[in-house]
Amino acid sequence: MAGFLASKCSHVGRSLLGGLGNKLSATVSTQHEMANNSFLSQQIRSFIQMRTVLKVVDNSGAKKVMCIQALKGKKGARLGDTIVASVKEAYPNGKVKKGKVVYGVVVRAAMQKGRCDGSEVKFDDNAVVLVDKQGQPIGTRVFGPVPHELRRKKHVKILSLAGHIA
């Protein structure tokens, strides 16, 4: 639609204004190009679903994990949900090794989540804290901000390990 509008405007500018139309069409096309570039630079934010790569923000030994399955919801996992993941990158002397299948709690999600007071919370990246089957964290520290919505999901231990609660 924007491309159609830009081409329509540049054509009208040339026919009505004669020689000035070239300058008008140049400004319209650059605005059109800027709109396309800003649209392409924006990342589409969606649920954490199968094959999503997440950053690990605890000291369990894993760097990155890939989501195998979201344990709740048909579309995928959101903030505070538990996922099953496979470790893709790991530190050499960590508790968790590459290739291991682990459970994780989503502590940061790029998809926005509404709060009761009308505000919305969203993060720049997707991050997870690794937990065991009972829901206890594997690591002893949690890095970066963690939202207080985890309290409602019964992940109080993760909140107590976190340095900053958002």
Side-chain angles (χ1 to χ4, degrees):
M1 182 71 182
F4 173 73
L5 183 62
S7 64
K8 195 81 159 158
C9 290
S10 63
H11 182 270
V12 170
R14 273 197 294 267
S15 65
L16 292 177
L17 301 174
L20 292 176
N22 292 335
K23 291 180 184 176
L24 178 65
S25 66
T27 58
V28 169
S29 65
T30 54
Q31 287 175 354
H32 175 62
E33 289 168 5
M34 286 190 305
N36 276 346
N37 289 338
S38 67
F39 177 74
L40 292 175
S41 68
Q42 290 178 347
Q43 189 178 14
I44 297 173
R45 310 293 181 169
S46 64
F47 288 95
I48 294 167
Q49 52 196 350
M50 202 184 323
R51 297 181 62 87
T52 301
V53 177
L54 300 105
K55 184 177 171 183
V56 179
V57 291
D58 62 4
N59 62 347
S60 61
K63 291 182 190 178
K64 292 190 180 194
V65 295
M66 185 176 73
C67 179
I68 295 174
Q69 181 183 11
L71 294 180
K72 183 184 174 196
K74 290 183 180 179
K75 292 184 180 178
R78 296 186 77 173
L79 215 54
D81 291 344
T82 304
I83 63 168
V84 179
S86 170
V87 178
K88 289 299 172 187
E89 291 180 28
Y91 291 107
N93 296 327
K95 295 177 190 173
V96 180
K97 303 297 180 198
K98 181 180 175 183
K100 188 174 179 185
V101 176
V102 292
Y103 289 93
V105 174
V106 179
V107 294
R108 290 201 297 263
M111 185 179 180
Q112 63 189 17
K113 180 167 174 75
R115 288 187 168 169
C116 308
D117 60 355
S119 64
E120 292 178 334
V121 61
K122 70 177 176 179
F123 296 94
D124 293 335
D125 60 347
N126 295 319
V128 68
V129 171
L130 300 185
V131 295
D132 57 9
K133 288 188 177 185
Q134 289 77 32
Q136 298 301 315
I138 295 173
T140 56
R141 294 175 65 197
V142 176
F143 307 111
V146 174
H148 66 84
E149 277 85 6
L150 294 179
R151 187 176 306 278
R152 217 175 310 134
K153 301 267 187 162
K154 308 287 190 265
H155 299 294
V156 182
K157 181 73 174 173
I158 295 172
L159 284 171
S160 67
L161 295 175
H164 179 70
I165 298 174

